[in-house]
Amino acid sequence: MSEEEKSLEFAMSLIAYSGDAKSHAMEAIYAAKKEAFEEAETKLKLAENALLDAHHIQTNMLTKEAQGDEIKMSLLTIHSQDHLMTAITFKDMAVEMIDLYKKIDSKP
């Protein structure tokens, strides 16, 4: 596999896992809004798992670069990193929103 193909695979995998994580986090918020807190927690766990998969891919690429392998940077590679960071932030905000929904639900 060429370096360009490896970079493309890296970027597309990060985008896919990040998209999955963001979607699961949004579904978690929707579930909490309906007071389905168990479902919300399940969706958050799915988001965390997708982010973990993305993190493994990112770590592998960083390790290769640290070992001296040249990593071809492209706009797509940068875009994939943006997707990952957005998904992480979105998941973190979902955790906070679900906590707020739980507090609202527990009020008399």
Side-chain angles (χ1 to χ4, degrees):
M1 183 180 291
S2 73
E3 289 305 313
E4 279 188 28
E5 290 171 328
K6 287 179 187 176
S7 291
L8 177 62
E9 184 179 349
F10 157 72
M12 296 309 292
S13 295
L14 272 187
I15 290 169
Y17 284 126
S18 299
D20 287 347
K22 186 178 174 193
S23 293
H24 291 309
M26 194 70 227
E27 290 170 356
I29 293 169
Y30 291 148
K33 191 173 183 178
K34 296 184 303 187
E35 300 175 2
F37 298 114
E38 278 187 41
E39 179 184 352
E41 294 299 328
T42 298
K43 295 293 184 178
L44 274 180
K45 187 66 178 162
L46 291 171
E48 289 168 2
N49 289 341
L51 287 173
L52 186 60
D53 288 337
H55 181 70
H56 287 306
I57 291 168
Q58 183 185 46
T59 300
N60 287 339
M61 293 301 289
L62 291 170
T63 300
K64 286 180 181 184
E65 185 174 38
Q67 293 171 342
D69 289 347
E70 186 177 337
I71 305 297
K72 183 176 180 191
M73 296 302 291
S74 68
L75 185 56
L76 186 60
T77 306
I78 295 165
H79 182 66
S80 71
Q81 291 294 313
D82 183 47
H83 269 273
L84 177 58
M85 297 310 298
T86 301
I88 291 168
T89 302
F90 203 88
K91 195 274 301 177
D92 291 344
M93 292 303 299
V95 169
E96 295 302 318
M97 292 179 75
I98 291 165
D99 186 50
L100 285 172
Y101 278 120
K102 286 178 178 178
K103 286 181 180 176
I104 291 168
D105 185 57
S106 69
K107 300 276 183 195

